[in-house]
Amino acid sequence: AQKVTQAQTEISVVEKEDVTLDCVYETRDTTYYLFWYKQPPSGELVFLIRRNSFDEQNEISGRYSWNFQKSTSSFNFTITASQVVDSAVYFCALSEAWVDGTASKLTFGTGTRLQVTL
Amino acid sequence: NAGVTQTPKFQVLKTGQSMTLQCAQDMNHNSMYWYRQDPGMGLRLIYYSASEGTTDKGEVPNGYNVSRLNKREFSLRLESAAPSQTSVYFCASRGGTELYSGANVLTFGAGSRLTVL
């Protein structure tokens, strides 16, 4: 069974601080995909990034960066110079690569609520 | 571009009442999903469907039924609502060039907030 753990329930930072959101996953698959989604106060779920299990290169997109370490089964998300608009719940998720004849499932962590204040 | 459309956005039911949450996508996606979101529990999969006419149980299927009558629509039915089904429900679809591929991104609807009294 697949499992995603986001141990940080809630994080509060002051604007311009850097913050890292942790994600640890469990899977028996050798090929899998990891995702991060953002849920702002308005409630919709916004896709941020996807990473496959064979690509351990870190990714940077503006103030966002992701660190994928297969050795520790972690896929952490860092926001540099946080802003109030970053306040949201962030979900890490894990997907099977392929399931013959049916849809692969996305398993979510419980989410980390990030509060950025002035 | 509508993407994934869910109706209704809000609903209040009394215990024992029934209702159907509707979901439609216009992206020609094969796979569709229903999740529920509860405080502190993240999103949990209720049911999913790989294609028209096929459905599978997810993590928390009890008390729900689904129907995938065509490629666009995937409905979730509560036959006899219970207070434990008070939640926010999200429908999602997944497409891409490879059928059933886990690489494909899920696109979510805006959510339906259901309260059962």
Side-chain angles (χ1 to χ4, degrees):
Chain A
Q2 302 190 103
K3 185 178 178 182
V4 177
T5 301
Q6 295 181 257
Q8 304 152 308
T9 305
E10 193 160 344
I11 301 175
S12 291
V13 299
V14 176
E15 202 176 41
K16 296 182 185 174
E17 285 186 8
D18 298 346
V19 59
T20 296
L21 309 182
D22 298 332
C23 173
V24 174
Y25 62 91
E26 296 175 29
T27 181
R28 293 180 182 175
D29 295 338
T30 54
T31 303
Y32 50 88
Y33 295 87
L34 294 161
F35 299 79
W36 276 94
Y37 279 84
K38 175 181 180 180
Q39 186 177 44
S42 52
E44 73 272 23
L45 286 151
V46 179
F47 164 73
L48 294 177
I49 190 172
R50 171 189 56 207
R51 174 67 67 212
N52 75 55
S53 54
F54 292 112
D55 182 1
E56 289 195 68
Q57 278 194 331
N58 291 335
E59 176 135 354
I60 298 175
S61 176
R63 296 183 296 107
Y64 295 172
S65 62
W66 290 268
N67 183 307
F68 174 35
Q69 292 198 336
K70 214 167 175 178
S71 60
T72 57
S73 297
S74 64
F75 186 40
N76 296 338
F77 174 28
T78 297
I79 302 175
T80 303
S82 59
Q83 299 177 0
V84 172
V85 293
D86 296 326
S87 297
V89 180
Y90 291 86
F91 290 98
C92 181
L94 169 67
S95 180
E96 307 153 306
W98 176 274
V99 181
D100 188 24
T102 189
S104 58
K105 302 185 293 293
L106 197 62
T107 300
F108 284 83
T110 52
T112 298
R113 180 178 298 277
L114 174 65
Q115 185 72 36
V116 182
T117 56
L118 293 172
Chain B
N1 294 335
V4 179
T5 304
Q6 291 181 232
T7 55
K9 284 188 167 43
F10 301 94
Q11 183 73 50
V12 178
L13 292 176
K14 294 181 180 177
T15 297
Q17 287 185 320
S18 62
M19 78 157 297
T20 299
L21 297 175
Q22 306 286 355
C23 175
Q25 52 92 8
D26 61 2
M27 297 173 285
N28 201 35
H29 286 173
N30 291 299
S31 304
M32 297 186 74
Y33 304 78
W34 275 105
Y35 285 88
R36 60 178 287 175
Q37 182 180 13
D38 303 292
M41 305 196 74
L43 284 90
R44 293 181 294 168
L45 183 63
I46 306 172
Y47 269 95
Y48 61 107
S49 168
S51 59
E52 176 183 342
T54 69
T55 61
D56 289 283
K57 293 180 180 179
E59 183 185 351
V60 289
N62 291 345
Y64 304 96
N65 286 305
V66 290
S67 178
R68 182 88 183 268
L69 294 178
N70 55 57
K71 193 171 187 177
R72 289 189 65 248
E73 297 170 301
F74 188 38
S75 60
L76 179 72
R77 182 160 178 84
L78 286 72
E79 291 291 351
S80 179
S84 60
Q85 294 178 305
T86 293
S87 188
V88 179
Y89 292 85
F90 285 95
C91 178
S93 69
R94 189 179 217 179
T97 56
E98 296 180 54
L99 279 177
Y100 314 141
S101 173
N104 301 332
V105 174
L106 257 68
T107 300
F108 285 86
S112 299
R113 183 175 294 275
L114 175 66
T115 301
V116 183
L117 303 175

